[in-house]
Amino acid sequence: MTNLPCPSCTKPLREFQTRQVCDACHGMLLALPDLAHAITDITGLEPELEFHDEAPGTRACPKCAAAMTTLKLRVALDHEIEKPRPVLDRCVDHGLWFDKDELAAVFEKGAGKGPGGGKAKVGKPGAPSGSYGWKGHHGVPEWWGGGGGGKW
Ligand SMILES: [Zn+2]
Ligand SMILES: [Zn+2]
């Protein structure tokens, strides 16, 4: 089973469930349903995901090596619509490639939402109150890569 290199830093990727994870730069390829599910986990809300400004890109999909497109992601939660911010890469077959900060940006937006912040099931026992219980030590969710390369 050979993984293609990370589109961001060219290090080998690690497969984790349906994701392709880069342990070197913390980028990740996420299928869309996976992303939506992750946002729901964090916020307790069903996100609506829309793409804008899709254009041909230069990076290759880490699964199929096809050229990915670039686009802006818009996340609508509840009745609030977030403006497009991160520019992502997308393979039509395999989902979205997030660089580390790009995915953190999406989740940070989402983590601040949720019904009053009380109902959403974020955090773990002992996590600080507030919206950031989902964060691991690199500022990214611990479940990202299943901890395969880190300390648990
Ligand atoms: Zn990388
Ligand atoms: Zn692909």
Side-chain angles (χ1 to χ4, degrees), residues 81-99:
I81 297 188
E82 293 291 343
K83 295 261 195 305
R85 241 178 59 199
V87 177
L88 307 173
D89 303 283
R90 176 196 185 208
C91 170
V92 281
D93 290 328
H94 299 116
L96 296 171
W97 173 264
F98 292 85
D99 290 328

Side-chain angles (χ1 to χ4, degrees), residues 3-4 10 13 25 31 41 46 49 65 72-73 77 83 93-94 100 111-112 114 116 139:
N3 285 346
L4 289 159
T10 73
L13 292 173
C25 71
D41 271 357
E46 294 276 344
L49 306 176
K72 290 178 179 175
L73 175 68
L77 283 170
K83 295 261 195 305
D93 290 328
H94 299 116
K100 174 194 169 186

Side-chain angles (χ1 to χ4, degrees), residues 6-11 13 22-27 97:
C6 171
S8 177
C9 72
T10 73
K11 294 283 199 305
L13 292 173
C22 179
D23 288 320
C25 71
H26 300 278
W97 173 264

Side-chain angles (χ1 to χ4, degrees), residues 40-70:
T40 302
D41 271 357
I42 289 170
T43 64
L45 299 171
E46 294 276 344
E48 290 176 35
L49 306 176
E50 291 180 20
F51 302 140
H52 295 272
D53 301 337
E54 190 158 12
T58 54
R59 287 173 165 181
C61 171
K63 273 199 171 178
C64 69
M68 295 193 285
T69 56
T70 62

Side-chain angles (χ1 to χ4, degrees), residues 20-31:
Q20 301 285 325
V21 185
C22 179
D23 288 320
C25 71
H26 300 278
M28 177 180 286
L29 184 77
L30 274 175

